[in-house]
């Protein structure tokens, strides 16, 4: 769940096996599986110690030679700020500030997100979202499915507010997340997004996938974690939007 917040940054700019039948009684409850995920990735106490996070990731559009770097700042205020420089696209900025999501790109200029797009961004910005999933979703275990040959429980996560249901796949063996499938609502319309998570590594004690591959609109976008720093002092000004966004918010 930690990586949900990185998935939509690029989707607006860069344009399986069948589920095995299983009786509902044979499947673990979704809450049990989600709580297991928290424990195997570090445990409640360790998550609760986290006050802030600065994550830096390298991205590459596979097969096209387009590369860039993205840095994201977040803390317990549930505000966030991301910035990146992508070859052939230019500078990207986006954030969530006091419940309002926004972005600036060379392609689309400054804009405020609205409706479901805003709700998704605000939900993704919740700090320690894995620990607080009950505040965000209703979860249901719906079946078993193989992801890259690994047996996984398939969960449907339905937002408690605005938003479309998404599918999460948790390894039956390890309890770790292997894949997320969701429909992103963007300025370009609805876009199907699938992300696989591999190469889990401990960052300040929390197991996190260091490699994400996002499939969107016929492209594969690989995100590789370079660093994750927690409990760094992030000035509140870091989360304030640029002047042109503030003007739009004030209207």
């Amino acid at each position: 769940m930690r990586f949900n917040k990185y998935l939509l940054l690029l989707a607006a700019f860069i344009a399986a096996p069948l589920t095995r039948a299983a009786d509902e009684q044979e499947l673990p409850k979704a809450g049990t599986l989600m709580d297991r995920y928290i424990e195997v990735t570090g445990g409640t106490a360790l998550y609760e110690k986290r006050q802030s996070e600065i994550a830096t990731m390298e991205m590459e559009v596979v097969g096209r030679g387009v590369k860039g770097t993205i840095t994201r700042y977040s803390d317990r205020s549930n505000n966030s700020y991301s910035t990146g420089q992508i070859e052939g696209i230019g500078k990207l900025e986006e954030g969530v500030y006091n419940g309002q999501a926004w972005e600036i790109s060379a392609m689309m200029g400054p804009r405020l997100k609205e409706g479901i797009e805003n709700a998704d961004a605000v939900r993704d910005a919740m700090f320690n979202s894995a620990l607080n999933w009950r505040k965000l979703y209703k979860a249901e275990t719906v079946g078993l499915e193989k992801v890259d040959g690994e047996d996984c429980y398939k969960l449907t996560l339905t937002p408690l507010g605005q938003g479309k249901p998404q599918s999460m796949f948790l390894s039956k063996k390890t309890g770790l997340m292997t894949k997320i499938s969701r429909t992103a609502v963007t300025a370009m319309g609805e876009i199907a997004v699938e992300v696989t998570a591999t190469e889990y590594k401990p960052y300040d004690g929390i197991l996190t996938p260091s490699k994400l591959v996002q499939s969107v609109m016929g492209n594969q976008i690989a995100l590789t974690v370079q660093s994750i720093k927690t409990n760094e002092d992030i000035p509140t000004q870091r989360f304030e939007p640029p002047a042109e966004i503030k003007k739009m918010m004030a209207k």
Side-chain angles (χ1 to χ4, degrees):
M1 295 200 44
R2 250 175 123 193
F3 63 79
N4 259 9
K5 56 196 73 171
Y6 306 115
L7 306 186
L8 299 184
L9 181 63
L10 300 171
F13 309 103
I14 304 177
L18 296 176
T19 302
R20 271 202 322 242
D23 293 334
E24 184 177 351
Q25 292 79 6
E26 297 176 350
L27 297 172
K29 296 292 186 181
T32 300
L33 295 173
M34 297 291 283
D35 291 342
R36 181 191 179 200
Y37 172 79
I38 294 169
E39 290 309 308
V40 299
T41 54
T44 299
L46 197 55
Y47 274 99
E48 289 179 339
K49 290 180 180 179
R50 300 175 67 249
Q51 302 294 319
S52 67
E53 179 181 284
I54 303 173
T56 300
M57 309 180 80
E58 288 188 355
M59 65 77 60
E60 178 182 5
V61 183
V62 178
R64 299 198 176 187
V66 177
K67 298 182 180 180
T69 302
I70 300 168
T71 300
R72 183 180 186 279
Y73 303 82
S74 60
D75 68 10
R76 284 184 176 269
S77 69
N78 294 327
N79 291 324
S80 67
Y81 172 71
S82 299
T83 182
Q85 189 72 33
I86 312 299
E87 296 174 0
I89 296 176
K91 184 178 181 180
L92 308 178
E93 289 182 278
E94 73 166 16
V96 170
Y97 187 67
N98 295 340
Q100 175 62 64
W102 59 272
E103 69 179 17
I104 302 176
S105 73
M107 294 175 63
M108 303 186 69
R111 71 182 190 94
L112 301 180
K113 298 182 180 181
E114 300 178 348
I116 292 177
E117 184 182 22
N118 185 70
D120 284 342
V122 171
R123 194 162 36 244
D124 290 344
M126 176 173 276
F127 196 74
N128 278 344
S129 57
L131 193 62
N132 295 295
W133 68 269
R134 287 179 173 85
K135 298 178 182 180
L136 303 174
Y137 302 100
K138 176 184 177 182
E140 180 184 8
T141 312
V142 296
L144 281 168
E145 184 169 322
K146 287 190 180 293
V147 177
D148 293 332
E150 184 173 2
D151 283 333
C152 296
Y153 292 111
K154 180 179 180 180
L155 281 64
T156 296
L157 302 182
T158 303
L160 297 181
Q162 284 183 298
K164 295 179 177 293
Q166 59 183 274
S167 296
M168 175 187 292
F169 300 82
L170 298 174
S171 168
K172 185 177 180 180
K173 179 180 180 180
T174 67
L176 297 175
M177 184 190 313
T178 60
K179 185 172 74 171
I180 282 184
S181 298
R182 66 189 293 180
T183 298
V185 178
T186 76
M188 299 169 58
E190 295 186 2
I191 301 174
V193 180
E194 182 176 282
V195 180
T196 56
T198 59
E199 299 181 26
Y200 276 79
K201 297 179 181 179
Y203 295 93
D204 290 339
I206 299 291
L207 278 180
T208 303
S210 64
K211 183 69 174 290
L212 311 171
V213 178
Q214 173 177 316
S215 299
V216 54
M217 298 179 68
N219 292 292
Q220 282 197 325
I221 303 168
L223 300 172
T224 303
V225 174
Q226 297 302 299
S227 67
I228 296 178
K229 300 177 182 179
T230 60
N231 297 331
E232 297 278 319
D233 183 21
I234 303 176
T236 56
Q237 295 87 344
R238 169 61 70 182
F239 301 114
E240 292 187 6
E244 57 264 54
I245 294 294
K246 285 185 177 180
K247 289 181 182 179
M248 299 173 73
M249 288 180 172
K251 291 182 179 179

